[in-house]
Amino acid sequence: MKGIVFTEFLEMVEDRFGFDIADNIISQSDLPSGGIYTAVGTYDHQEMVRLVVNLSAMSGIAVPDLLKAYGEHLFSRFVKGYHHFFANATSTLDFLALIENYIHVEVRKLYPDAELPTFETVRPAENRLEMTYHSSRGLGDFAEGLLNGCIKHFQENISLHREDINPDRTIVKFTLIRIPD
Amino acid sequence: MDQLDSLKRILQRERAARKAAEEVIEKKSLELYLANQELMKLNESLEERIRERTAEIEASRQELILAKNKAEAADRSKSEFLSNMSHEIRTPLNAVIGLTELIVRDSQDATALEYARSIQYSAENLLVIINEILDFSKIESGKLTFERINFPLAQVVESLMTTYRPKAESKNLSFRAIVDPEVPEYLMGDPVKLSQILINLVGNALKFTASGHVHLSISLREKADDHTQVWIRVEDTGIGIPADKLSRIFESFEQANSSTSREFGGTGLGLAITRRLVELQGGKIWVESEPGKGSCFQFVMPFDIGDKALANAPAAVAEHPETDLSRMRILLVEDLAMNQFLMKQVFRRKNITADIASNGREALDKLRLQTYDVVLMDLHMPVMDGREATRIIRQPGSGILDPEVFIIALTADAFQETRREVMEMGMNDFLSKPIRMDELYGKLYEVADLLNV
């Protein structure tokens, strides 16, 4: 898992829950990396699982909720750090349709070994986009959070439906329907 | 509290620094990636260009090979055409020469004899021309090979003088051969080709000289322990060659001027063939000439010095009037009715009755039924040619009653290579067409002696 997911997560925890909590979950998680992350590194995704589980325990917020919230937050960070990806996209559906064939391609240029989830997108109508998430990590909640972040960014009226295709949530189908103003 | 605020600010700064560093790394990574992509593209386009160039080179190489093969095939078919045509023309010509010889021998009528002699002369001339064309095509196609045998130079010179003396005498020319005593008696080389060169040069000199002399002189240019450079000059007091034609006189189809062929005839191939024969043996030929005064053709040719002890004694072909050829059992294998007729007349003169087979297969049939003293075998025949027939005759278990039977090849060409080829095939001897009666009788006497018929 890319380092930026860790660095942004810890920053969010520090901001929203405070330095003590952030320091605590790192200590409790017994991380091979020691909790020392940089955005350009790559780390075992199990470290993220431990951090989230410990934060959940400490904060009393359910893991799926934490993941959704973090996804939404991370998207806003992406907008800041990688604004060039947003230069040509003016709507949620247009931008999401570009993930697989543009953004992930660019990411692989920098990190050829990055293990990225795949998104199959189908756009049956101008205002409808069906995205199927595939990932062995089963982080459908995190993906949902990211999608929410995206919808928020473009400030459009979009309804998001989620359907877990299998129980371990390695395949999750999202349907986005834009409701014109 | 102040200290905590300070630490927070420090943390903020460190974090900002880390992010800035990460950004720099990503930027550099992207630049590296793009530079790499450029290099890969460049590399690919270079490889593509190399592939294209290689393909182009290969294509033009293939084209060249194709063009070369085409040119060679065209050249080969030209040579083959010449060779075939010459052969086709020689076959009826041989019949003309053979039958004319019969008339000349048998004729009692003076006028008929004179006509027959004229036919004989013209036919012989025509044969020379055709032989020249055949020789030339053989030289051009690189099929000419040279013998390397011990031979007495004097014999070559003597037979040349014998051939041309009547002609020189008829024109009242002084005709002499001067051989420097320094020249080794025996040389190692190809006497037939040397004769051919001399016949051409001396024949030309006699042809173009109306009065005065034609002199052949042979001396040494160089002599080492085992090899020499023999210098041969043919000097005449003939019409000469204009200076501007001298350089082209040895080219194919060239004569000094077009009136030459009207007045003196010839194919324009003689000197071209002569030059090739000299050069292919490592020699050099040139000419000095002054119009109205005469020409001097000369060549220098390397020869190894021969050894008298190793030389084959020249075979003496003697008439044996006491030997009766009529009891010889002869099988003639010849496809052309005209040649069969001609040979029958030739046999008849010696009271020989020969069996005749029209091709190799018929010959095998006869040889399986009875034995013969000698088989006269034509080489070119339909159904089965003379080569194949000979191979089968000599092969064990072929059912031939006498697999050792004496076989004389009858061939249309007089090339040494053909002679060697038929000997290697298992034939015993060789006669070239047109068949001269005396030669044929001579061979038959030899075989008769050999077999005690």
Side-chain angles (χ1 to χ4, degrees), chain B residues 40-72:
Chain B
M40 274 162 67
K41 258 189 219 156
L42 194 65
N43 202 7
E44 256 171 42
S45 85
L46 276 174
E47 276 173 11
E48 181 59 27
R49 271 177 65 191
I50 289 167
R51 269 195 299 275
E52 277 171 17
R53 289 289 297 147
T54 310
E56 277 169 29
I57 290 166
E58 180 57 23
S60 54
R61 202 177 73 90
Q62 291 297 340
E63 270 172 36
L64 280 175
I65 289 172
L66 223 64
K68 180 170 156 282
N69 287 346
K70 242 174 148 177
E72 282 174 356

mmCIF file of all heavy atoms in Angstrom, chain B residues 40-72:
data_model
loop_
_atom_site.group_PDB
_atom_site.id
_atom_site.type_symbol
_atom_site.label_atom_id
_atom_site.label_comp_id
_atom_site.label_asym_id
_atom_site.label_seq_id
_atom_site.Cartn_x
_atom_site.Cartn_y
_atom_site.Cartn_z
ATOM 1 N N MET B 40 13.688 4.799 -24.653
ATOM 2 C CA MET B 40 13.161 3.558 -25.207
ATOM 3 C C MET B 40 12.617 3.775 -26.617
ATOM 4 O O MET B 40 12.809 2.956 -27.498
ATOM 5 C CB MET B 40 12.084 2.974 -24.298
ATOM 6 C CG MET B 40 12.691 2.093 -23.194
ATOM 7 S SD MET B 40 11.549 1.806 -21.836
ATOM 8 C CE MET B 40 10.317 0.800 -22.655
ATOM 9 N N LYS B 41 11.924 4.931 -26.770
ATOM 10 C CA LYS B 41 11.359 5.237 -28.084
ATOM 11 C C LYS B 41 12.476 5.390 -29.106
ATOM 12 O O LYS B 41 12.410 4.873 -30.214
ATOM 13 C CB LYS B 41 10.549 6.543 -28.020
ATOM 14 C CG LYS B 41 9.052 6.315 -27.972
ATOM 15 C CD LYS B 41 8.342 7.642 -28.126
ATOM 16 C CE LYS B 41 7.147 7.683 -27.207
ATOM 17 N NZ LYS B 41 6.757 9.058 -26.887
ATOM 18 N N LEU B 42 13.509 6.145 -28.680
ATOM 19 C CA LEU B 42 14.648 6.393 -29.568
ATOM 20 C C LEU B 42 15.292 5.057 -29.967
ATOM 21 O O LEU B 42 15.563 4.794 -31.128
ATOM 22 C CB LEU B 42 15.665 7.264 -28.837
ATOM 23 C CG LEU B 42 16.752 7.890 -29.692
ATOM 24 C CD1 LEU B 42 16.140 8.865 -30.671
ATOM 25 C CD2 LEU B 42 17.773 8.602 -28.798
ATOM 26 N N ASN B 43 15.475 4.239 -28.927
ATOM 27 C CA ASN B 43 16.063 2.929 -29.129
ATOM 28 C C ASN B 43 15.236 2.115 -30.109
ATOM 29 O O ASN B 43 15.741 1.512 -31.052
ATOM 30 C CB ASN B 43 16.121 2.224 -27.768
ATOM 31 C CG ASN B 43 17.163 1.135 -27.769
ATOM 32 O OD1 ASN B 43 17.911 1.001 -28.727
ATOM 33 N ND2 ASN B 43 17.215 0.359 -26.705
ATOM 34 N N GLU B 44 13.906 2.151 -29.854
ATOM 35 C CA GLU B 44 13.014 1.393 -30.735
ATOM 36 C C GLU B 44 13.077 1.912 -32.153
ATOM 37 O O GLU B 44 13.094 1.139 -33.103
ATOM 38 C CB GLU B 44 11.573 1.488 -30.228
ATOM 39 C CG GLU B 44 11.127 0.217 -29.530
ATOM 40 C CD GLU B 44 9.790 0.402 -28.848
ATOM 41 O OE1 GLU B 44 8.908 1.040 -29.460
ATOM 42 O OE2 GLU B 44 9.643 -0.065 -27.704
ATOM 43 N N SER B 45 13.114 3.254 -32.269
ATOM 44 C CA SER B 45 13.104 3.793 -33.635
ATOM 45 C C SER B 45 14.429 3.485 -34.323
ATOM 46 O O SER B 45 14.468 3.228 -35.517
ATOM 47 C CB SER B 45 12.792 5.286 -33.647
ATOM 48 O OG SER B 45 13.950 6.039 -33.450
ATOM 49 N N LEU B 46 15.517 3.478 -33.517
ATOM 50 C CA LEU B 46 16.805 3.078 -34.091
ATOM 51 C C LEU B 46 16.762 1.633 -34.548
ATOM 52 O O LEU B 46 17.165 1.298 -35.660
ATOM 53 C CB LEU B 46 17.929 3.246 -33.067
ATOM 54 C CG LEU B 46 18.535 4.640 -32.964
ATOM 55 C CD1 LEU B 46 19.534 4.688 -31.820
ATOM 56 C CD2 LEU B 46 19.228 5.015 -34.267
ATOM 57 N N GLU B 47 16.199 0.789 -33.656
ATOM 58 C CA GLU B 47 16.106 -0.627 -34.008
ATOM 59 C C GLU B 47 15.233 -0.796 -35.240
ATOM 60 O O GLU B 47 15.537 -1.584 -36.135
ATOM 61 C CB GLU B 47 15.524 -1.436 -32.845
ATOM 62 C CG GLU B 47 16.593 -1.816 -31.833
ATOM 63 C CD GLU B 47 16.011 -2.472 -30.591
ATOM 64 O OE1 GLU B 47 14.806 -2.824 -30.618
ATOM 65 O OE2 GLU B 47 16.739 -2.604 -29.605
ATOM 66 N N GLU B 48 14.134 -0.007 -35.261
ATOM 67 C CA GLU B 48 13.229 -0.078 -36.416
ATOM 68 C C GLU B 48 13.969 0.310 -37.692
ATOM 69 O O GLU B 48 13.844 -0.337 -38.730
ATOM 70 C CB GLU B 48 12.028 0.841 -36.165
ATOM 71 C CG GLU B 48 10.999 0.856 -37.281
ATOM 72 C CD GLU B 48 10.399 -0.524 -37.555
ATOM 73 O OE1 GLU B 48 10.365 -1.357 -36.622
ATOM 74 O OE2 GLU B 48 10.009 -0.745 -38.697
ATOM 75 N N ARG B 49 14.780 1.401 -37.559
ATOM 76 C CA ARG B 49 15.519 1.848 -38.744
ATOM 77 C C ARG B 49 16.534 0.807 -39.194
ATOM 78 O O ARG B 49 16.699 0.569 -40.384
ATOM 79 C CB ARG B 49 16.226 3.170 -38.463
ATOM 80 C CG ARG B 49 15.340 4.373 -38.787
ATOM 81 C CD ARG B 49 16.023 5.652 -38.444
ATOM 82 N NE ARG B 49 17.217 5.892 -39.250
ATOM 83 C CZ ARG B 49 18.102 6.844 -38.981
ATOM 84 N NH1 ARG B 49 17.933 7.633 -37.946
ATOM 85 N NH2 ARG B 49 19.141 7.024 -39.756
ATOM 86 N N ILE B 50 17.180 0.188 -38.189
ATOM 87 C CA ILE B 50 18.141 -0.862 -38.537
ATOM 88 C C ILE B 50 17.417 -2.002 -39.243
ATOM 89 O O ILE B 50 17.872 -2.507 -40.262
ATOM 90 C CB ILE B 50 18.877 -1.372 -37.273
ATOM 91 C CG1 ILE B 50 19.843 -0.302 -36.776
ATOM 92 C CG2 ILE B 50 19.604 -2.683 -37.561
ATOM 93 C CD1 ILE B 50 20.393 -0.536 -35.407
ATOM 94 N N ARG B 51 16.225 -2.364 -38.677
ATOM 95 C CA ARG B 51 15.447 -3.435 -39.315
ATOM 96 C C ARG B 51 15.088 -3.063 -40.744
ATOM 97 O O ARG B 51 15.212 -3.868 -41.655
ATOM 98 C CB ARG B 51 14.170 -3.720 -38.510
ATOM 99 C CG ARG B 51 14.359 -4.802 -37.450
ATOM 100 C CD ARG B 51 13.020 -5.304 -36.942
ATOM 101 N NE ARG B 51 12.230 -4.248 -36.322
ATOM 102 C CZ ARG B 51 12.352 -3.870 -35.052
ATOM 103 N NH1 ARG B 51 13.213 -4.450 -34.267
ATOM 104 N NH2 ARG B 51 11.601 -2.893 -34.560
ATOM 105 N N GLU B 52 14.642 -1.785 -40.912
ATOM 106 C CA GLU B 52 14.249 -1.340 -42.247
ATOM 107 C C GLU B 52 15.428 -1.381 -43.210
ATOM 108 O O GLU B 52 15.320 -1.891 -44.317
ATOM 109 C CB GLU B 52 13.697 0.091 -42.200
ATOM 110 C CG GLU B 52 12.221 0.146 -41.812
ATOM 111 C CD GLU B 52 11.777 1.570 -41.557
ATOM 112 O OE1 GLU B 52 12.483 2.518 -41.987
ATOM 113 O OE2 GLU B 52 10.727 1.739 -40.905
ATOM 114 N N ARG B 53 16.570 -0.803 -42.700
ATOM 115 C CA ARG B 53 17.752 -0.767 -43.567
ATOM 116 C C ARG B 53 18.208 -2.187 -43.921
ATOM 117 O O ARG B 53 18.531 -2.474 -45.065
ATOM 118 C CB ARG B 53 18.907 -0.019 -42.876
ATOM 119 C CG ARG B 53 18.700 1.465 -42.769
ATOM 120 C CD ARG B 53 18.811 2.153 -44.127
ATOM 121 N NE ARG B 53 20.146 2.012 -44.707
ATOM 122 C CZ ARG B 53 20.367 1.923 -45.998
ATOM 123 N NH1 ARG B 53 19.366 1.933 -46.844
ATOM 124 N NH2 ARG B 53 21.601 1.817 -46.452
ATOM 125 N N THR B 54 18.187 -3.060 -42.894
ATOM 126 C CA THR B 54 18.590 -4.443 -43.132
ATOM 127 C C THR B 54 17.674 -5.069 -44.179
ATOM 128 O O THR B 54 18.136 -5.752 -45.087
ATOM 129 C CB THR B 54 18.530 -5.253 -41.818
ATOM 130 O OG1 THR B 54 19.227 -4.527 -40.826
ATOM 131 C CG2 THR B 54 19.175 -6.615 -41.990
ATOM 132 N N ALA B 55 16.369 -4.796 -44.021
ATOM 133 C CA ALA B 55 15.411 -5.354 -44.983
ATOM 134 C C ALA B 55 15.692 -4.800 -46.378
ATOM 135 O O ALA B 55 15.656 -5.533 -47.361
ATOM 136 C CB ALA B 55 13.992 -5.027 -44.557
ATOM 137 N N GLU B 56 15.983 -3.484 -46.427
ATOM 138 C CA GLU B 56 16.269 -2.869 -47.729
ATOM 139 C C GLU B 56 17.507 -3.502 -48.357
ATOM 140 O O GLU B 56 17.509 -3.842 -49.542
ATOM 141 C CB GLU B 56 16.526 -1.363 -47.570
ATOM 142 C CG GLU B 56 15.261 -0.522 -47.515
ATOM 143 C CD GLU B 56 15.559 0.907 -47.094
ATOM 144 O OE1 GLU B 56 16.684 1.400 -47.364
ATOM 145 O OE2 GLU B 56 14.672 1.530 -46.484
ATOM 146 N N ILE B 57 18.560 -3.636 -47.515
ATOM 147 C CA ILE B 57 19.803 -4.211 -48.028
ATOM 148 C C ILE B 57 19.554 -5.632 -48.516
ATOM 149 O O ILE B 57 19.973 -6.018 -49.602
ATOM 150 C CB ILE B 57 20.908 -4.191 -46.939
ATOM 151 C CG1 ILE B 57 21.347 -2.752 -46.686
ATOM 152 C CG2 ILE B 57 22.086 -5.066 -47.329
ATOM 153 C CD1 ILE B 57 22.168 -2.549 -45.439
ATOM 154 N N GLU B 58 18.796 -6.378 -47.688
ATOM 155 C CA GLU B 58 18.501 -7.768 -48.053
ATOM 156 C C GLU B 58 17.717 -7.804 -49.362
ATOM 157 O O GLU B 58 17.996 -8.612 -50.246
ATOM 158 C CB GLU B 58 17.736 -8.447 -46.909
ATOM 159 C CG GLU B 58 17.358 -9.895 -47.155
ATOM 160 C CD GLU B 58 18.544 -10.799 -47.465
ATOM 161 O OE1 GLU B 58 19.696 -10.456 -47.089
ATOM 162 O OE2 GLU B 58 18.332 -11.815 -48.121
ATOM 163 N N ALA B 59 16.738 -6.860 -49.469
ATOM 164 C CA ALA B 59 15.914 -6.828 -50.684
ATOM 165 C C ALA B 59 16.770 -6.528 -51.911
ATOM 166 O O ALA B 59 16.652 -7.195 -52.938
ATOM 167 C CB ALA B 59 14.806 -5.791 -50.539
ATOM 168 N N SER B 60 17.668 -5.524 -51.753
ATOM 169 C CA SER B 60 18.468 -5.189 -52.941
ATOM 170 C C SER B 60 19.480 -6.292 -53.230
ATOM 171 O O SER B 60 19.811 -6.553 -54.375
ATOM 172 C CB SER B 60 19.153 -3.833 -52.787
ATOM 173 O OG SER B 60 19.900 -3.791 -51.619
ATOM 174 N N ARG B 61 19.905 -6.976 -52.157
ATOM 175 C CA ARG B 61 20.806 -8.110 -52.362
ATOM 176 C C ARG B 61 20.074 -9.202 -53.164
ATOM 177 O O ARG B 61 20.609 -9.756 -54.118
ATOM 178 C CB ARG B 61 21.248 -8.675 -51.008
ATOM 179 C CG ARG B 61 22.547 -9.484 -51.059
ATOM 180 C CD ARG B 61 22.939 -9.938 -49.666
ATOM 181 N NE ARG B 61 22.067 -10.999 -49.211
ATOM 182 C CZ ARG B 61 22.312 -12.293 -49.428
ATOM 183 N NH1 ARG B 61 23.392 -12.668 -50.055
ATOM 184 N NH2 ARG B 61 21.477 -13.214 -48.984
ATOM 185 N N GLN B 62 18.811 -9.446 -52.730
ATOM 186 C CA GLN B 62 18.020 -10.453 -53.445
ATOM 187 C C GLN B 62 17.832 -10.047 -54.898
ATOM 188 O O GLN B 62 17.897 -10.880 -55.802
ATOM 189 C CB GLN B 62 16.641 -10.638 -52.784
ATOM 190 C CG GLN B 62 16.690 -11.295 -51.413
ATOM 191 C CD GLN B 62 17.248 -12.709 -51.468
ATOM 192 O OE1 GLN B 62 17.267 -13.337 -52.517
ATOM 193 N NE2 GLN B 62 17.747 -13.203 -50.341
ATOM 194 N N GLU B 63 17.570 -8.730 -55.106
ATOM 195 C CA GLU B 63 17.382 -8.249 -56.467
ATOM 196 C C GLU B 63 18.638 -8.476 -57.301
ATOM 197 O O GLU B 63 18.557 -8.900 -58.456
ATOM 198 C CB GLU B 63 17.042 -6.757 -56.468
ATOM 199 C CG GLU B 63 15.550 -6.486 -56.386
ATOM 200 C CD GLU B 63 15.263 -5.014 -56.192
ATOM 201 O OE1 GLU B 63 16.009 -4.186 -56.769
ATOM 202 O OE2 GLU B 63 14.322 -4.693 -55.459
ATOM 203 N N LEU B 64 19.783 -8.165 -56.664
ATOM 204 C CA LEU B 64 21.053 -8.344 -57.366
ATOM 205 C C LEU B 64 21.283 -9.806 -57.722
ATOM 206 O O LEU B 64 21.691 -10.133 -58.831
ATOM 207 C CB LEU B 64 22.219 -7.835 -56.507
ATOM 208 C CG LEU B 64 22.415 -6.331 -56.522
ATOM 209 C CD1 LEU B 64 23.509 -5.930 -55.540
ATOM 210 C CD2 LEU B 64 22.813 -5.873 -57.926
ATOM 211 N N ILE B 65 20.991 -10.676 -56.729
ATOM 212 C CA ILE B 65 21.171 -12.102 -56.970
ATOM 213 C C ILE B 65 20.283 -12.534 -58.131
ATOM 214 O O ILE B 65 20.698 -13.251 -59.047
ATOM 215 C CB ILE B 65 20.855 -12.927 -55.696
ATOM 216 C CG1 ILE B 65 21.949 -12.702 -54.658
ATOM 217 C CG2 ILE B 65 20.699 -14.408 -56.021
ATOM 218 C CD1 ILE B 65 21.660 -13.290 -53.308
ATOM 219 N N LEU B 66 19.023 -12.018 -58.086
ATOM 220 C CA LEU B 66 18.064 -12.359 -59.133
ATOM 221 C C LEU B 66 18.571 -11.900 -60.495
ATOM 222 O O LEU B 66 18.550 -12.643 -61.474
ATOM 223 C CB LEU B 66 16.724 -11.679 -58.822
ATOM 224 C CG LEU B 66 15.487 -12.527 -59.033
ATOM 225 C CD1 LEU B 66 15.479 -13.708 -58.071
ATOM 226 C CD2 LEU B 66 14.238 -11.685 -58.846
ATOM 227 N N ALA B 67 19.053 -10.624 -60.500
ATOM 228 C CA ALA B 67 19.538 -10.057 -61.764
ATOM 229 C C ALA B 67 20.741 -10.851 -62.262
ATOM 230 O O ALA B 67 20.853 -11.146 -63.447
ATOM 231 C CB ALA B 67 19.909 -8.593 -61.562
ATOM 232 N N LYS B 68 21.607 -11.212 -61.302
ATOM 233 C CA LYS B 68 22.804 -11.961 -61.663
ATOM 234 C C LYS B 68 22.408 -13.326 -62.227
ATOM 235 O O LYS B 68 22.887 -13.740 -63.288
ATOM 236 C CB LYS B 68 23.677 -12.136 -60.414
ATOM 237 C CG LYS B 68 24.953 -12.901 -60.651
ATOM 238 C CD LYS B 68 25.853 -12.813 -59.426
ATOM 239 C CE LYS B 68 26.835 -13.961 -59.349
ATOM 240 N NZ LYS B 68 26.269 -15.222 -58.866
ATOM 241 N N ASN B 69 21.483 -13.992 -61.515
ATOM 242 C CA ASN B 69 21.037 -15.303 -61.997
ATOM 243 C C ASN B 69 20.419 -15.196 -63.382
ATOM 244 O O ASN B 69 20.627 -16.055 -64.232
ATOM 245 C CB ASN B 69 20.013 -15.905 -61.028
ATOM 246 C CG ASN B 69 20.670 -16.369 -59.755
ATOM 247 O OD1 ASN B 69 21.896 -16.475 -59.690
ATOM 248 N ND2 ASN B 69 19.890 -16.627 -58.732
ATOM 249 N N LYS B 70 19.646 -14.112 -63.562
ATOM 250 C CA LYS B 70 18.976 -13.910 -64.844
ATOM 251 C C LYS B 70 20.016 -13.730 -65.948
ATOM 252 O O LYS B 70 19.927 -14.351 -67.004
ATOM 253 C CB LYS B 70 18.108 -12.645 -64.774
ATOM 254 C CG LYS B 70 16.620 -12.927 -64.976
ATOM 255 C CD LYS B 70 15.872 -11.646 -64.739
ATOM 256 C CE LYS B 70 14.637 -11.525 -65.588
ATOM 257 N NZ LYS B 70 13.905 -10.301 -65.262
ATOM 258 N N ALA B 71 20.994 -12.859 -65.644
ATOM 259 C CA ALA B 71 22.030 -12.581 -66.632
ATOM 260 C C ALA B 71 22.796 -13.860 -66.960
ATOM 261 O O ALA B 71 23.065 -14.159 -68.127
ATOM 262 C CB ALA B 71 22.982 -11.515 -66.118
ATOM 263 N N GLU B 72 23.116 -14.615 -65.893
ATOM 264 C CA GLU B 72 23.865 -15.853 -66.109
ATOM 265 C C GLU B 72 23.045 -16.850 -66.905
ATOM 266 O O GLU B 72 23.557 -17.532 -67.789
ATOM 267 C CB GLU B 72 24.289 -16.460 -64.772
ATOM 268 C CG GLU B 72 25.495 -15.757 -64.182
ATOM 269 C CD GLU B 72 25.833 -16.256 -62.792
ATOM 270 O OE1 GLU B 72 25.072 -17.092 -62.260
ATOM 271 O OE2 GLU B 72 26.848 -15.822 -62.247
#
